[in-house]
DNA sequence: TTAGGGTTAG
């Protein structure tokens, strides 16, 4: 690049940055046109910037066009495109671009791993990380940024043993002073059920920012320690750290899991009045969840009516979820009517409404909603549970007939069930929302994925070792009751992370206090 | 000169 052209390139860079800043489409198109007319659109530096610009304006196709027209595609142009697809959740496109790259550096690998980790593909993230570790090129060794995404993947899978290996790598490579890395470690340990280790890692930090504190608050919240989460928040304030909007989402979530309605209401008020934070949809959704779970559905609905912003799917989703828990047909209908308009392709909403009808015995309505679901070509997400044994993740679904150990697991569960029935366990067959006979229902609940994972854990872990199970949905009442019995009967400590929170079973009691 | 990262959401 010649010297005199530098200012012009820089001018265009500033113009593009200003379009991003003001998110102005008209200006963006104007700048792009000028750039083209002056022959700057083949400059790879500016092409990268243009991709970023269109990406920030949510214009994927325009960004792609810039890429396609750029003849000199540097290591930077490709990375910008991978990152854009990652941002929009287009994992297949991102990986296609990544695979096309002849030269990949640490940023390329990190961007692709982050893409998988952020878009619910944690297995793929770990797989790609292992591949990256086998590369010998100088510029491909993982760094702190890579570690953060890998830790997120471990957290998503509750892969504690893998996470510990990564922790070791972080210590050996001196990455343990970098704030994002430590915050990700705190979250990883908390989400893998090791709250005490999360606390130790946090205690060992010499410097903490608001995100480090938020990580700890949400960790305690997810484990049901609402009061402790509030205490941590108070400690943070007394250390002179200002709370962020996320601090309050975490706190309200913590109150919700622990049923701390009054504390939650007070925090919501304080957020505005004392800390000047304007509540966003996430805060409203958390409040609706807090009230709804506590069976204050009227108040939750009124809270929505009084909102100063448009409620949106998260808020209505919270109301629907609570209505399902408390089997309230009226509010479930109200929320789902809105949700079917706002997010017609979300199968979960149809399932929640159908389940509410089923529990209320309204079988004609159940049929109607299931038909609606089918007519829209949607499918219910199957329940899945998994468990890590010797660094291997074993995954279970209730209908898994290909699992080589399935016969053994079923036999063990039948044996345990009949023995526990003598000690007072009563199968909660009402959770089976089909018009079936009692025996059939009992057979179905005994085949739930969480119980298969539990049986697998009983066979494959030592006596002293706790069992850690992760589940993609909310824990059902029968699995909850069954696991409580097992924890006493088999004298086993069992940790289950469901989609919302942790259940810590010990000696026949669960840490959630049967409120979840 | 450019690119990748931490906390929340049910």
């Amino acid at each position: 690049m010649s010297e005199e052209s530098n200012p012009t390139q820089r001018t265009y860079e500033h113009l593009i940055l200003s379009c991003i800043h003001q998110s102005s489409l008209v200006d963006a198109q104007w700048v792009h046109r000028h750039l083209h007319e002056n022959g700057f659109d083949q400059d790879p530096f500016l092409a990268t910037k243009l991709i970023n610009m269109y990406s920030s304006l949510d214009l994927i196709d325009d960004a792609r066009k810039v890429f396609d027209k750029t003849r000199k595609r540097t290591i930077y142009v490709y990375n910008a495109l991978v990152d854009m697809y990652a941002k929009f959740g287009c994992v297949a496109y991102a990986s296609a671009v990544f695979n096309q790259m002849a030269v990949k550096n640490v940023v390329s690998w990190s961007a692709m791993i982050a893409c998988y980790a952020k878009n619910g593909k944690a297995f793929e993230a770990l797989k790609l990380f292992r591949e990256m570790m086998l590369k010998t090129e100088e510029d491909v060794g993982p760094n702190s940024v890579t570690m953060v995404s890998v830790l997120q993947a471990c957290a998503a899978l509750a892969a504690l043993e893998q996470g510990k290996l990564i922790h070791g790598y972080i210590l050996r490579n001196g990455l343990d002073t970098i704030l994002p890395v430590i915050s990700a470690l705190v979250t990883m340990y908390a989400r893998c059920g090791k709250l005490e280790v999360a606390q130790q890692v946090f205690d060992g930090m010499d410097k903490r920012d608001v995100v480090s504190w938020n990580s700890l608050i949400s960790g305690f919240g997810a484990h049901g320690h609402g009061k402790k989460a509030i205490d941590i928040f108070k400690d943070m304030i007394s250390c002179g750290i200002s709370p962020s909007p996320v601090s309050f989402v975490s706190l309200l979530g913590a109150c919700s899991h622990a049923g701390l309605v009054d504390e939650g209401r007070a925090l919501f008020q304080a957020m505005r009045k004392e800390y000047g934070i304007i509540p966003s949809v996430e805060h409203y959704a958390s409040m609706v969840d807090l009230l709804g779970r506590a069976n204050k559905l009227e108040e939750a609905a009124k809270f929505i009516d009084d909102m100063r912003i448009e409620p949106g799917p998260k808020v209505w989703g919270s109301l629907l979820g609570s209505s399902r828990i408390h089997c309230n047909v009226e509010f479930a209908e109200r929320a789902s009517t809105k949700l079917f308009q706002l997010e017609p392709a979300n199968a979960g909403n149809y399932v929640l409404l159908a389940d509410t009808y089923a529990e209320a015995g309204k079988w004609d309505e159940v049929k109607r909603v299931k038909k609606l679901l089918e007519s829209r070509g949607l499918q219910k997400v199957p329940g899945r549970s998994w468990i890590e044994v010797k660094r291997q993740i074993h995954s279970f679904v209730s209908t898994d007939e290909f699992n080589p150990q399935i016969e053994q697991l079923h036999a063990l569960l039948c044996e345990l069930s009949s023995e526990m029935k003598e000690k007072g366990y009563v199968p909660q067959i009402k959770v089976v929302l089909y018009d079936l006979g009692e025996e059939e229902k009992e057979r179905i609940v005994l085949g739930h994925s969480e119980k298969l994972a539990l049986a697998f854990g009983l066979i494959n872990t030592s006596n002293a070792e706790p069992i850690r199970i992760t589940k993609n949905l909310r824990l059902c009442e029968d699995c909850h009751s069954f696991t409580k019995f097992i924890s006493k009967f088999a004298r086993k400590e069992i940790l289950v992370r469901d989609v919302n929170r942790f259940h810590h079973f010990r000696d026949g009691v669960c840490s959630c206090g049967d409120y979840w």
Side-chain angles (χ1 to χ4, degrees):
Chain A
M1 191 57 62
S2 68
E3 267 184 29
E4 56 267 41
S5 66
N6 258 333
T8 323
Q9 189 198 43
R10 222 169 266 166
T11 313
Y12 279 120
E13 184 196 357
H14 283 123
L15 283 171
I16 294 171
L17 290 176
S18 128
C19 292
I20 294 174
H21 187 68
Q22 303 188 1
S23 47
S24 158
L25 173 61
V26 184
D27 291 340
Q29 287 168 333
W30 183 85
V31 171
H32 191 176
R33 212 165 33 239
H34 260 260
L35 208 124
H36 176 70
E37 283 162 8
N38 290 295
F40 271 92
D41 58 344
Q42 282 304 325
D43 178 344
F45 173 83
L46 289 175
T48 307
K49 293 286 170 193
L50 281 175
I51 291 172
N52 292 338
M53 177 184 80
Y54 282 122
S55 165
S56 77
L57 290 165
D58 293 356
L59 297 167
I60 305 187
D61 294 337
D62 293 87
R64 178 75 204 205
K65 272 183 214 152
V66 172
F67 176 81
D68 288 337
K69 282 185 182 160
T70 307
R71 285 188 293 272
K72 197 178 166 206
R73 294 173 191 166
T74 58
I75 298 160
Y76 292 104
V77 183
Y78 269 99
N79 287 342
L81 199 68
V82 170
D83 190 44
M84 179 197 69
Y85 282 130
K87 181 189 153 195
F88 292 99
C90 308
V91 181
Y93 283 97
S95 91
V97 176
F98 177 76
N99 289 325
Q100 275 171 29
M101 296 173 72
V103 185
K104 302 180 178 92
N105 66 7
V106 59
V107 177
S108 326
W109 287 90
S110 304
M112 196 58 225
I113 292 171
C115 174
Y116 283 133
K118 281 219 155 61
N119 289 290
K121 308 252 177 217
F123 269 116
E124 286 83 349
L126 292 183
K127 196 166 154 259
L128 195 64
F129 173 65
R130 269 182 231 121
E131 216 180 294
M132 181 186 185
M133 292 293 270
L134 296 174
K135 298 279 163 191
T136 47
E137 290 99 282
E138 211 170 272
D139 192 20
V140 171
N143 60 18
S144 67
V145 181
T146 328
M147 288 303 125
V148 168
S149 295
V150 174
L151 286 171
Q152 285 177 328
C154 293
L157 295 169
L160 177 64
E161 295 305 321
Q162 304 249 6
K164 282 188 192 164
L165 282 180
I166 305 294
H167 191 174
Y169 183 92
I170 287 167
L171 293 171
R172 283 194 304 277
N173 290 278
L175 302 172
D176 57 327
T177 51
I178 295 163
L179 270 182
V181 174
I182 314 294
S183 300
L185 264 178
V186 171
T187 302
M188 185 276 290
Y189 278 116
R191 295 202 67 200
C192 287
K194 283 285 192 182
L195 197 51
E196 63 290 351
V197 184
Q199 174 86 64
Q200 280 165 20
V201 173
F202 179 86
D203 289 342
M205 297 173 82
D206 359 303
K207 226 177 76 183
R208 304 178 184 111
D209 65 2
V210 66
V211 180
S212 337
W213 286 94
N214 289 349
S215 303
L216 196 67
I217 291 172
S218 70
F220 275 90
H223 283 264
H225 303 295
K227 292 224 158 87
K228 173 79 180 163
I230 297 174
D231 286 342
I232 298 168
F233 171 73
K234 288 179 181 161
D235 287 346
M236 174 178 94
I237 299 296
S238 59
C239 287
I241 305 275
S242 300
S244 70
V246 175
S247 312
F248 286 96
V249 179
S250 309
L251 276 170
L252 294 173
C255 291
S256 179
H257 294 312
L260 302 174
V261 178
D262 292 336
E263 289 85 345
R265 281 199 200 100
L267 282 162
F268 189 81
Q269 292 300 324
M271 171 172 77
R272 257 197 300 223
K273 289 185 182 148
E274 284 177 47
Y275 302 99
I277 294 174
I278 314 262
S280 67
V281 225
E282 284 81 7
H283 299 108
Y284 284 108
S286 295
M287 273 308 283
V288 171
D289 183 64
L290 169 73
L291 296 167
R293 261 178 219 273
N295 206 6
K296 298 181 185 298
L297 288 161
E298 293 275 356
E299 190 182 339
K302 186 167 182 314
F303 189 83
I304 297 177
D305 290 338
D306 293 344
M307 276 176 64
R308 297 181 189 187
I309 52 174
E310 203 51 45
K314 281 175 191 170
V315 175
W316 291 113
S318 291
L319 186 67
L320 178 58
S322 309
S323 307
R324 162 70 193 97
I325 292 171
H326 299 293
C327 188
N328 188 314
V329 172
E330 184 199 334
F331 287 112
E333 283 176 341
R334 198 194 289 188
S336 51
T337 305
K338 294 279 184 188
L339 285 165
F340 293 164
Q341 290 165 6
L342 292 169
E343 40 175 36
N346 185 340
N349 297 329
Y350 299 82
V351 176
L352 285 172
L353 179 64
D355 287 355
T356 313
Y357 281 137
E359 200 173 331
K362 300 189 171 220
W363 297 104
D364 288 343
E365 295 297 308
V366 175
K367 264 189 211 152
R368 185 179 62 80
V369 180
K370 285 193 174 165
K371 270 204 181 126
L372 192 63
L373 185 75
E374 278 169 31
S375 72
R376 295 191 173 176
L378 304 171
Q379 268 187 336
K380 185 174 172 170
V381 178
R384 181 178 289 278
S385 300
W386 59 93
I387 181 170
E388 187 192 40
V389 174
K390 296 184 185 73
R391 285 182 208 158
Q392 281 283 323
I393 308 263
H394 301 264
S395 167
F396 300 89
V397 283
S398 59
T399 49
D400 202 347
E401 275 147 30
F402 298 106
N403 189 306
Q405 267 189 304
I406 201 78
E407 303 265 329
Q408 195 192 355
L409 300 179
H410 275 308
L412 175 62
L413 287 169
C414 283
E415 194 187 316
L416 287 169
S417 173
S418 42
E419 283 178 43
M420 292 192 317
K421 274 190 206 161
E422 284 172 23
K423 305 208 188 273
Y425 162 66
V426 181
Q428 304 284 306
I429 55 171
K430 64 168 192 187
V431 304
V432 181
L433 301 170
Y434 300 102
D435 229 348
L436 297 170
E438 281 196 17
E439 230 171 82
E440 184 66 1
K441 284 189 178 183
E442 213 173 294
R443 205 184 60 79
I444 289 176
V445 290
L446 203 56
H448 277 177
S449 68
E450 195 248 323
K451 295 196 187 73
L452 295 174
L454 181 57
F456 185 86
L458 287 169
I459 295 171
N460 293 293
T461 56
S462 69
N463 277 344
E465 214 180 330
I467 292 176
R468 298 163 200 283
I469 295 168
T470 310
K471 194 173 169 4
N472 67 338
L473 303 172
R474 187 174 172 269
L475 203 50
C476 94
E477 274 172 67
D478 184 65
C479 286
H480 197 265
S481 149
F482 189 88
T483 312
K484 280 204 289 190
F485 267 92
I486 292 275
S487 71
K488 192 175 170 100
F489 190 69
R491 291 202 196 130
K492 261 292 203 191
E493 196 178 330
I494 302 158
L495 268 125
V496 181
R497 186 180 96 192
D498 76 9
V499 69
N500 296 324
R501 59 165 297 151
F502 276 88
H503 299 264
H504 198 155
F505 299 90
R506 217 180 300 177
D507 200 25
V509 182
C510 178
S511 63
C512 78
D514 301 337
Y515 181 89
W516 82 98

